[in-house]
């Protein structure tokens, strides 16, 4: 197993006590595509960030087991963590506008990412950067390398992010809402690109999103989170057979092009869903 | 149609510098109806809405609201008739004003009395608890904030609401609530909507007629029924529809 999480908890200290944002999540991930779906505040991003130990300073992390390829993430020192972060596990975030350095050309940023992990000379890094950009299907890599982030579109920016992430040949890719800032046509392209790269390189993928139908299209398994817990894990093809009322409610309240309805059903949240 | 439409946009053009981003867009919305504008980012759909709302004065063409032509500069009476709701309920409310203050402001601007009653009544209309009135925006959830933004737009009793991606920053369960609220309000108050969204399903849910924008032009105008049934003419409309329907088939 690439990732093994058992009884993960993330707690925040508040003025009046503690707030448990992730309340006992367990999951095992191999070289597969796992989707984590939930609404804002469900703890889906925190779960993925715990794995990299990239949590806000006031968060407390505990787990029965939290390992990445056998490395105990809970007790690993910072040096060990740095060999995981970015190198063995790549991270892609929502908006490339905020993830790219605005005052550095794209070519230099990709080359820098490559050199950080692989070493080597400037020339070599430049060649590698062009190759990486080519792999994410940027048509004219040499031209794009000379551009600044504000000169490229959102979809192109996200391709650049993926290229940087690919530089150290990671084993796991964590994508946190990678396409929510993008148009529908671009969104499909980027997800297909990620799916293709992950399959071809034999990587694991954790795709975090609020969009249940979208995720089920691109993943093998989907874990549905609600209020800090995984309430249901489904094979992606079996979404229609979801049993948990929350999952069903999420699917049901989407407006549909093909099945119009006068009123949308509203999710009635049940206090019982909070219980394990 | 004998009566003049509530909104009449004719050959609207908008340029930023020497780049034309809206290249002659025309559409009409009869009173009490909802017109949807869909397209991808950069297609000019929001720019059309901003010209319509008076937020951008650098346009040419003709815009008429309720039969009266309006110019780039709008009179105060225009803003009583036409109000706008923005995408991001986190950015569109003043962070240091209470909900009470936020909702009272349009009443003061338009010199409407009876502030107490109107604020309370409008909060109830958007289904917010009365206690919300003396809270600050950061104390509310995203969905509650969007309800406040809708309440602020409604409080001066407009006839037209311009909605710019009103649900795309919200969770899908909250989106359903807001879409239902907007549908109810339109029926009760006989409001006219122009809804801008990139989400075809959302637009088709709320609007009877839909304009598809691409590269600053409206490449197709069709009914929601035709869109649902796949009777779209333009390839871009078909592409958007295929992507939207593709995700529904699980």
């Amino acid at each position: 197993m690439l990732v093994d999480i058992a009884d993960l908890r993330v707690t925040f200290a508040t003025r009046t006590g503690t707030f448990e944002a992730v309340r006992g999540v367990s999951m095992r991930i191999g070289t597969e595509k796992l989707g984590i779906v939930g609404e804002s505040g469900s703890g889906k991003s925190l779960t993925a960030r715990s794995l990299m130990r990239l949590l806000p300073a006031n968060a407390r992390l505990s787990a029965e087991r939290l390992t990445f390829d056998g490395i105990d993430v809970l007790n690993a020192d910072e040096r060990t963590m740095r060999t995981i972060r970015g190198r063995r596990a790549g991270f892609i975030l929502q908006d490339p506008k905020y993830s790219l350095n605005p005052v550095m050309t794209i070519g230099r940023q990709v080359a820098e990412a490559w050199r950080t992990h692989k070493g080597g000379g400037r020339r070599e890094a430049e060649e590698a950067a062009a190759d990486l950009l080519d792999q994410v299907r940027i048509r004219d890599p040499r031209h794009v390398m000379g551009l600044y982030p504000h000169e490229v579109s959102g979809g192109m920016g996200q391709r650049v992010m993926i290229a940087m992430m690919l530089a150290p040949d990671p084993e796991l890719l964590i994508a946190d809402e990678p396409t929510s800032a993008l148009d529908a046509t671009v969104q499909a392209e980027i997800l297909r690109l990620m799916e293709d790269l992950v399959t071809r390189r034999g990587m694991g993928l954790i795709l975090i999103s609020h969009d249940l139908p979208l995720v089920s299209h691109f993943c093998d398994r989907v874990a549905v989170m609600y209020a800090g817990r995984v309430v249901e894990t489904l094979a992606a093809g079996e979404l229609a057979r979801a049993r948990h009322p929350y999952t069903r409610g999420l699917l049901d309240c989407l407006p549909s092009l093909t099945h119009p309805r006068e009123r949308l059903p509203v999710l009635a949240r049940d206090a019982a869903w909070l219980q394990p | 149609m004998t009566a003049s439409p509530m909104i009449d946009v004719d050959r609207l053009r908008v340029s930023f510098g020497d780049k034309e981003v809206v290249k002659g867009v025309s559409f009409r919305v009869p009173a009490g109806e909802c017109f949807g504008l869909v397209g991808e980012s950069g297609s000019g759909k929001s720019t059309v809405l901003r010209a319509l709302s008076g937020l951008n004065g650098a346009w040419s063409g003709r815009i008429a609201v309720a039969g009266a032509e309006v110019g780039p500069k709008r009179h105060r009476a225009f803003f009583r008739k036409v109000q706008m709701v923005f995408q991001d309920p986190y950015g569109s409310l003043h962070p240091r004003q209470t909900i009470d203050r936020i909702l009272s402001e349009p009443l003061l601007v338009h010199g409407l009395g009876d502030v107490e009653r109107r604020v309370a009544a409008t909060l109830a209309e958007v289904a917010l608890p009365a206690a919300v009135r003396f809270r600050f925006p950061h104390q509310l959830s995203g969905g509650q904030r969007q309800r406040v933004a809708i309440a602020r737009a409604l409080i001066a009793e407009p006839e037209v609401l311009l909605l710019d991606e009103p649900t795309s920053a919200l969770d899908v369960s909250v989106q359903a609530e807001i879409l239902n609220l907007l549908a109810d309000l339109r029926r009760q108050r006989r409001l006219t909507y122009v809804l801008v969204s990139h989400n075809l399903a959302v637009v088709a849910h709320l609007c009877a007629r839909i304009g598809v924008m691409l590269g600053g032009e409206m490449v197709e105008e069709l009914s929601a029924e035709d869109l649902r049934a796949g009777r779209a003419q333009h390839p871009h409309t078909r592409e958007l529809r295929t992507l939207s329907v593709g995700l529904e088939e699980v």
Side-chain angles (χ1 to χ4, degrees):
Chain A
M1 275 295 134
L2 194 52
V3 173
D4 191 352
I5 302 173
D7 199 27
L8 172 75
R9 288 166 192 278
V10 180
T11 327
F12 290 92
T14 63
R15 250 186 325 178
T16 48
T18 56
F19 174 73
E20 213 173 15
V22 177
R23 307 182 301 145
V25 165
S26 302
M27 52 176 73
R28 290 154 66 86
I29 305 154
T31 45
E32 59 175 327
K33 289 170 281 183
L34 173 77
I36 303 182
V37 177
E39 297 190 282
S40 31
S42 61
K44 54 189 192 303
S45 295
L46 283 175
T47 301
R49 286 174 166 267
S50 300
L51 192 57
M52 304 280 104
R53 243 170 51 200
L54 286 174
L55 293 173
N58 59 341
R60 266 205 20 245
L61 174 67
S62 75
E64 201 186 297
R65 200 165 53 248
L66 183 62
T67 63
F68 177 86
D69 195 26
I71 302 168
D72 181 7
V73 171
L74 275 183
N75 299 309
D77 55 18
E78 274 303 309
R79 247 183 76 196
T80 317
M81 284 315 295
R82 278 201 295 276
T83 65
I84 301 179
R85 292 183 197 131
R87 185 161 312 188
R88 303 192 58 191
F91 225 132
I92 293 178
L93 298 172
Q94 179 170 352
D95 201 335
K97 252 190 304 209
Y98 302 109
S99 307
L100 291 169
N101 184 344
V103 292
M104 202 174 180
T105 61
I106 283 166
R108 273 188 64 200
Q109 291 187 55
V110 179
E112 183 187 72
W114 192 83
R115 277 182 89 185
T116 308
H117 295 293
K118 296 257 170 123
R122 203 172 283 273
R123 281 244 74 87
E124 204 184 340
E126 210 170 285
E127 288 303 315
D131 178 53
L132 285 167
L133 291 175
D134 186 53
Q135 282 189 48
V136 294
R137 288 177 225 146
I138 287 178
R139 245 168 265 132
D140 187 359
R142 293 282 167 187
H143 169 69
V144 173
M145 282 172 76
L147 300 177
Y148 285 91
H150 73 269
E151 295 175 298
V152 303
S153 65
M156 181 84 85
Q158 206 57 301
R159 280 170 203 269
V160 172
M161 289 304 300
I162 296 174
M164 286 169 72
M165 181 278 304
L166 288 177
D169 296 313
E171 294 140 72
L172 176 71
L173 165 59
I174 302 173
D176 193 349
E177 304 266 10
T179 60
S180 0
L182 306 176
D183 284 326
T185 46
V186 187
Q187 181 172 343
E189 273 169 38
I190 294 287
L191 285 171
R192 241 176 268 130
L193 170 70
M194 271 176 30
E195 188 190 25
D196 181 51
L197 288 168
V198 164
T199 313
R200 232 168 348 109
R201 292 170 164 242
M203 294 161 61
L205 169 71
I206 301 178
L207 177 61
I208 300 165
S209 173
H210 65 282
D211 194 331
L212 188 46
L214 183 80
V215 163
S216 68
H217 255 247
F218 289 93
C219 292
D220 309 316
R221 273 195 311 148
V222 180
V224 182
M225 286 192 69
Y226 178 75
R229 276 208 178 85
V230 176
V231 293
E232 191 167 21
T233 306
L234 291 154
E238 292 180 342
L239 222 53
R241 265 175 274 164
R243 228 173 291 141
H244 197 279
Y246 175 67
T247 317
R248 302 208 60 88
L250 270 190
L251 285 169
D252 211 31
C253 66
L254 286 168
S256 154
L257 251 192
T258 40
H259 307 288
R261 282 170 297 186
E262 188 58 29
R263 280 186 82 74
L264 295 169
V266 172
L267 199 62
R269 288 159 204 275
D270 192 334
W273 299 351
L274 297 172
Q275 305 309 315
Chain B
M1 193 164 38
T2 45
S4 68
M6 179 59 89
I7 294 170
D8 192 350
V9 175
D10 193 26
R11 279 163 286 170
L12 177 73
R13 290 178 177 274
V14 184
S15 297
F16 294 138
D18 49 12
K19 188 165 163 41
E20 197 170 46
V21 289
V22 176
K23 304 166 183 168
V25 164
S26 309
F27 61 93
R28 299 164 148 227
V29 192
E33 300 240 328
C34 180
F35 187 83
L37 279 172
V38 293
E40 308 221 301
S41 33
S43 63
K45 57 188 192 304
S46 292
T47 310
V48 169
L49 205 66
R50 291 177 74 85
L52 194 54
S53 68
L55 281 171
N56 178 5
W59 52 269
S60 62
R62 189 177 160 272
I63 297 178
V65 176
E69 205 165 314
V70 294
K73 277 243 180 338
R74 307 289 157 84
H75 195 259
R76 193 183 296 158
F78 173 83
F79 298 107
R80 247 205 97 175
K81 212 175 274 168
V82 180
Q83 280 288 325
M84 185 148 167
V85 177
F86 298 89
Q87 170 174 5
D88 181 11
Y90 296 84
S92 60
L93 301 177
H94 196 303
R96 303 199 46 183
Q97 290 184 352
T98 61
I99 306 308
D100 183 62
R101 172 85 196 276
I102 290 170
L103 294 182
S104 311
E105 194 111 325
L107 298 174
L108 297 176
V109 168
H110 294 292
L112 299 173
D114 212 1
V115 175
E116 274 295 313
R117 190 195 56 80
R118 280 181 204 258
V119 169
T122 312
L123 277 177
E125 205 175 344
V126 296
L128 281 172
V132 161
R133 188 164 172 184
F134 298 104
R135 301 237 171 97
F136 288 95
H138 74 266
Q139 295 170 299
L140 307 180
S141 69
Q144 286 178 319
R145 276 184 246 202
Q146 198 58 306
R147 285 176 195 270
V148 171
I150 293 171
R152 177 181 57 186
L154 285 178
I155 202 154
E157 293 170 2
E159 291 165 48
V160 177
L161 274 196
L162 305 175
L163 306 158
D164 192 0
E165 302 265 15
T167 62
S168 52
L170 307 173
D171 279 323
V172 288
S173 61
V174 183
Q175 165 173 287
E177 291 171 18
I178 297 291
L179 289 177
N180 284 341
L181 172 68
L182 288 170
D184 292 343
L185 289 170
R186 185 165 70 92
R187 210 171 307 121
Q188 285 155 15
R189 292 190 167 211
R190 278 209 26 95
L191 291 165
T192 308
Y193 287 169
V194 179
L195 170 69
V196 162
S197 177
H198 66 281
N199 187 325
L200 234 54
V202 165
V203 170
H205 175 76
L206 220 53
C207 304
R209 289 204 68 77
I210 295 161
V212 182
M213 302 271 307
L214 174 68
E217 288 174 64
M218 192 180 288
V219 292
E220 184 165 11
E221 191 190 317
L222 74 174
S223 71
E225 261 165 68
D226 283 346
L227 181 67
R228 289 185 201 283
R231 289 188 292 265
Q233 303 296 322
H234 197 275
H236 186 62
T237 317
R238 290 206 200 130
E239 187 192 7
L240 291 177
R241 183 180 180 278
T242 309
L243 284 166
S244 180
V245 171
L247 284 178
E248 284 179 20
E249 287 158 0
V250 182

